[in-house]
Amino acid sequence: MFIGRQKELETLSMQYTKNEFTFIPIYGRRRVGKTQLIEEFIRDKRAVFFTAVGKGTYKNNLELLSKAIYENNENAPIYSSFYDALDGVYALAQKEKLIFVIDEFPYLAQSDESIISILQQFIDLKFLKTNMMLILSGSSLSFMENQVLGYQSPLYGRRTGQIKLLPVDFQMSRQFAPDFSKLDQAVMYGVTGAIPKYLSLFNDGLSLDMNIKGQYFDRNAYLFEETGNLLKQEFKEPALYQSIITAIASGGSQMKDIKGKVGEESSTVATYMKSLLDTGIVKKEVPAMDKPSSRKTTYRLEDGMFRFWYRFVYPNMSLVALDKGDMVYSRIKPHITDFMGEVFEKLCVEYMWSIYDSLPFEFQNISRWWGNNPDFKSQAEIDFIAYSNNDEQAIFGECKWRNEELDKSTIIGLIEKCKMFRQFKQKHYYLFSKSGFTHGAHEYAAGRENIRLIEFRDMFEW
């Protein structure tokens, strides 16, 4: 069942209705739904859909492309070269409106380094004379951004649009299990990283616990070995990538910490880290208002599924392999609330963007802050800060995924922490709570227009 992605479908439809050649690269991490999006879009349209194979040779991919051109006829003739195959596509496009899809385009380019230049020649000399639609899809973000969209690419300047497909937002993720409570939907969102493939594995006819156990803590389950499978697909040396991810998952946030845990030179770790950043598994962060080159740079696991897997599944793989998944889950279940703390911060930022038009001022970014608080002479963290372009106003956010109500001391604590930001003339405080606020907290906030208390149950209404 195809869910959501209406904005992306509208983008593709708008390009398709043009009576001219159009070229749309689509890229995003594996399992995010690129192929499903394309299949949904071409469902009632004339298309040649070719999926390149990663470990395939030039000959393998040429055979697959030839069969795709001949609508998967097993007796179809095999073109002698990619040039001839593209000429076959051109002949079809001259007869009628055609969508030509090359899925996993980076794999094709790996099997034949000249394919990008050949494709550029066909676009310039032949495809531009048709009203065909060309879609190149790929899971390697760095390849797509550099070799397809980048300034140095032969294809540069020929696209008429592009789609970077991201994990779905919370509202869209809820549609995968509409009968779950909103709290359970939030946990599902967190443990799957909001990746459509993983969300589709959850069944709201079963309890959330049954779903998590069944997908992560069963040695035959899809997600039990998913991280390893993804790393093998994406990288030539998955073991070192796994070591870096493990180091981050176990608390290493700065390069020196990660290097120490991995036992490799900084240059080696930095090279591998760049690949993890390119795939979206890891995120590089600097505190709000700091420059990108800040010495306070930290690394976090951006992918929620990886965070959950490396925190709870990886240390217990041997037990799960021995069919002790129920025991493992009963032990880790109390810690899911703590895991959800970072997820809730992300949800709160997502909610802030959703109510952007009603916020007290305009801003460009929302991000975490951490560093030294000179007033307290200690380290401090703020879950998010958004500030105006003229530095006149700022919103400071606190997000707590706890099983008890927050009292007024949390509000006062946030206000005290933020006194150090003296450059802002107006300060607004937004506090988010899973379980609500005490009467005392509400009394304290009442009459103070710059304080907002927001309960999870009031966020993201249908």
Side-chain angles (χ1 to χ4, degrees):
M1 179 175 62
F2 185 82
I3 293 176
R5 302 299 194 192
Q6 293 307 308
K7 176 65 175 177
E8 290 80 5
L9 287 172
E10 289 172 8
T11 297
L12 291 170
S13 295
M14 183 182 68
Q15 292 286 327
Y16 182 76
T17 56
K18 294 180 180 180
N19 192 31
E20 60 188 18
F21 171 77
T22 53
F23 169 29
I24 307 292
I26 299 176
Y27 61 111
R29 63 146 287 179
R30 295 189 187 281
R31 317 294 196 254
V32 80
K34 299 181 297 297
T35 301
Q36 289 75 18
L37 171 65
I38 297 169
E39 288 177 341
E40 177 68 15
F41 172 65
I42 68 172
R43 190 159 44 88
D44 55 353
K45 302 174 182 67
R46 181 79 172 92
V48 172
F49 191 108
F50 159 56
T51 302
V53 290
K55 295 182 179 179
T57 62
Y58 175 97
K59 182 181 178 182
N60 294 146
N61 280 312
L62 185 56
E63 288 178 356
L64 290 170
L65 176 54
S66 300
K67 289 179 180 178
I69 294 170
Y70 283 93
E71 298 180 327
N72 296 315
N73 184 342
E74 290 297 325
N75 299 317
I78 306 301
Y79 287 99
S80 59
S81 67
F82 279 110
Y83 188 95
D84 289 342
L86 292 177
D87 223 9
V89 174
Y90 173 57
L92 292 175
Q94 287 179 301
K95 298 175 183 178
E96 59 182 322
K97 181 77 173 182
L98 179 74
I99 304 171
F100 179 34
V101 180
I102 304 180
D103 200 9
E104 295 298 353
F105 179 67
Y107 286 158
L108 177 61
Q110 288 168 12
S111 72
D112 177 17
E113 293 181 357
S114 68
I115 190 65
I116 297 179
S117 294
I118 294 173
L119 196 54
Q120 174 250 313
Q121 292 173 27
F122 263 86
I123 291 173
D124 292 350
L125 300 177
K126 296 189 175 185
F127 290 168
L128 278 171
K129 298 175 184 177
T130 73
N131 65 350
M132 73 176 286
M133 183 177 189
L134 173 64
I135 297 175
L136 302 184
S137 172
S139 300
S140 173
L141 275 66
S142 58
F143 180 94
M144 296 296 290
E145 290 174 344
N146 297 321
Q147 302 301 316
V148 177
L149 299 170
Y151 181 75
Q152 301 297 328
S153 170
L155 298 176
Y156 179 77
R158 288 158 180 83
R159 64 183 171 83
T160 55
Q162 76 282 323
I163 294 174
K164 183 175 183 180
L165 206 59
L166 301 172
V168 299
D169 60 23
F170 179 59
Q171 287 291 60
M172 195 179 297
S173 75
R174 297 175 69 190
Q175 296 177 42
F176 285 85
D179 289 339
F180 274 173
S181 69
K182 193 192 291 188
L183 285 172
D184 285 352
Q185 288 169 340
V187 176
M188 178 183 72
Y189 169 93
V191 303
T192 60
I195 298 297
K197 173 62 180 177
Y198 309 148
L199 288 165
S200 70
L201 300 173
F202 277 60
N203 177 3
D204 55 8
L206 303 174
S207 69
L208 177 66
D209 288 338
M210 290 292 290
N211 275 281
I212 297 176
K213 281 195 295 183
Q215 294 303 331
Y216 281 105
F217 299 97
D218 181 332
R219 59 190 172 94
N220 298 318
Y222 184 91
L223 294 176
F224 178 58
E225 295 184 338
E226 174 67 351
T227 58
N229 291 333
L230 285 175
L231 293 177
K232 288 173 186 174
Q233 284 181 294
E234 201 68 46
F235 307 117
K236 292 180 179 178
E237 298 180 48
L240 185 49
Y241 288 101
Q242 180 163 287
S243 296
I244 294 171
I245 294 170
T246 303
I248 298 172
S250 61
S253 60
Q254 295 188 312
M255 185 60 77
K256 60 181 176 62
D257 304 322
I258 298 165
K259 172 184 170 294
K261 289 175 180 286
V262 173
E264 295 284 348
E265 293 297 321
S266 295
S267 58
T268 301
V269 175
T271 299
Y272 282 74
M273 184 70 80
K274 183 180 184 305
S275 297
L276 290 170
L277 291 168
D278 287 341
T279 57
I281 295 172
V282 173
K283 179 180 182 180
K284 180 180 179 180
E285 286 189 318
V286 298
M289 297 175 287
D290 273 26
K291 296 180 180 179
S293 58
S294 171
R295 292 184 179 180
K296 299 176 187 175
T297 295
T298 63
Y299 297 90
R300 305 170 85 185
L301 290 183
E302 170 72 357
D303 189 300
M305 187 276 291
F306 270 78
R307 276 205 314 119
F308 185 84
W309 195 94
Y310 275 90
R311 178 165 178 177
F312 297 121
V313 181
Y314 183 66
N316 296 294
M317 288 193 73
S318 296
L319 289 172
V320 176
L322 293 171
D323 291 328
K324 304 295 183 184
D326 285 351
M327 181 191 75
V328 170
Y329 184 70
S330 65
R331 193 174 70 226
I332 68 102
K333 183 181 176 182
H335 301 284
I336 292 179
T337 295
D338 180 53
F339 167 83
M340 283 295 296
E342 187 172 327
V343 176
F344 191 45
E345 290 176 19
K346 186 175 181 179
L347 283 174
C348 292
V349 169
E350 195 173 300
Y351 178 73
M352 290 293 287
W353 286 118
S354 76
I355 61 169
Y356 183 83
D357 291 345
S358 65
L359 295 175
F361 61 89
E362 294 183 358
F363 53 84
Q364 301 296 323
N365 295 296
I366 310 178
S367 54
R368 291 195 311 135
W369 180 90
W370 63 95
N372 181 59
N373 187 325
D375 295 343
F376 296 160
K377 295 182 173 58
S378 63
Q379 293 295 304
E381 292 186 14
I382 298 172
D383 291 336
F384 68 77
I385 300 177
Y387 55 95
S388 60
N389 292 334
N390 58 9
D391 289 347
E392 289 281 326
Q393 300 187 69
I395 296 174
F396 299 92
E398 187 96 353
C399 315
K400 299 297 184 185
W401 189 265
R402 295 176 179 171
N403 292 326
E404 64 272 357
E405 296 176 331
L406 298 187
D407 58 25
K408 74 175 184 180
S409 66
T410 305
I411 309 173
I412 295 170
L414 178 62
I415 294 172
E416 290 297 315
K417 271 194 297 187
C418 296
K419 284 182 177 178
M420 63 176 285
F421 298 99
R422 295 177 177 85
Q423 68 268 41
F424 298 115
K425 295 179 181 178
Q426 287 184 272
K427 297 176 183 177
H428 309 268
Y429 306 96
Y430 282 58
L431 294 97
F432 297 81
S433 172
K434 169 194 174 184
S435 304
F437 300 87
T438 64
H439 179 70
H442 282 292
E443 276 194 333
Y444 184 85
R448 292 177 168 88
E449 294 183 358
N450 65 335
I451 297 176
R452 281 199 60 187
L453 308 183
I454 303 167
E455 298 185 28
F456 176 66
R457 67 181 182 183
D458 297 325
M459 298 165 60
F460 303 108
E461 294 300 325
W462 285 111

